[in-house]
Amino acid sequence: MKKALVAISGGVDSSATAQLMKEAGYECFGVTMKLHSEKDIDCGGCVTTRDIEDARAVCNALDIPYEVVDFSSDFDKYVIGDFISAYENGATPNPCIECNYRLKFDKLFEYGKSLGYEIIATGHYARIEFDEKYGRKVLKKGIDASKDQSYVLYRLSREQIESTMFPLGSLSKSEAREIATRAGLDVSTKRDSQDICFIPDGDYVKFIEGYTNKKYSPGNFVTKDGKILGRHKGIIGYTIGQGKGLGLALPHRMYVCEKRLDTNEVVIGENEDLFSRELWADKVVLSAIDTIDSPMRLSAKVRYKHEAQSAIASLENGLLHIIFDEPQRAICKGQSVVLYDGDTVIGGGVIL
């Protein structure tokens, strides 16, 4: 019998995934990643004590073995550490991408392999299919555009793509709930988790200051030409494109356009100042193709909720160079740019 490790979070998506994998004839093993220490596991984050109880109940109902694996030290090092470092260096990170890359499809995948489970299945809304054009299995967008999670999965390696299954990729959220309901799983009506898992209240500045035990120095809000507009509360508290919560008396809505770390200044400008056609990215991953030998016309997303836009992509000295057909608003250092050919994920990188 085929064997599959199923990542179980205690939510409806992973529970429906376990049901579908079992229906498909797989010998399943449910595993929950414990990502937080005992002191903060009940903070309302990604996997709480209640989630673990729910995950265990699902596995019991489906009669599959279950285990909690402690990855909290890896989560602390790679996800939280990267998150804080990015903000301290003027970037705006996406911790979900790092978590998928470092933990779910690396640490958890390797753990499953060590136990003889060569397949990992998760509740992500994305697809993995063989593509005749590229002659290999590729990552594709989920059928339900409103739930598509291919953006946060672009760092999957070819080996991981070959060994991963996304049973929900061709389904809608309502269909996933119906599957869980049909299986008699108590989590079928459980609400979705939101926001950054380790910052359930959304106050990332408070989290960073509490985690690092540091206070970030106030500085000046300035215009592009250096005119001082007021004082900011610490440079980590502002993101490119932000127009609310600045605490400034301005003649009209203005926006954060730049963060100058060397002078601890936050530059305020007009909406039109936020638009640009070009970006560079490092930490490049290409999964559908081996390389980019000559400029390619593709579409590109610069953040999770961004609609992919037509662009020319090239690879120059190991860096991705993207030139959009039309200027894009608020391209942020630290976010990822993900390249698509239709529904197929070509690859991506972290915006410099």
Side-chain angles (χ1 to χ4, degrees), residues 1-6 18 20-30 64-65 112 115-121 137 162-163 165 167:
M1 181 181 288
K2 299 172 290 185
K3 300 172 70 174
L5 182 150
V6 183
L20 289 173
M21 292 299 290
K22 188 171 181 182
E23 288 178 358
Y26 283 85
E27 177 187 328
C28 296
F29 173 38
I64 63 176
L115 298 177
Y117 292 83
E118 295 292 332
I119 295 293
I120 183 170
K137 282 186 177 181
E162 288 285 343
S163 304
M165 295 181 68

Side-chain angles (χ1 to χ4, degrees), residues 10 35 47 50 113 122 133 200 237 271:
L35 303 178
V47 179
R50 180 194 166 185
K113 284 175 61 177
T122 76
K133 179 177 180 178
N271 185 60

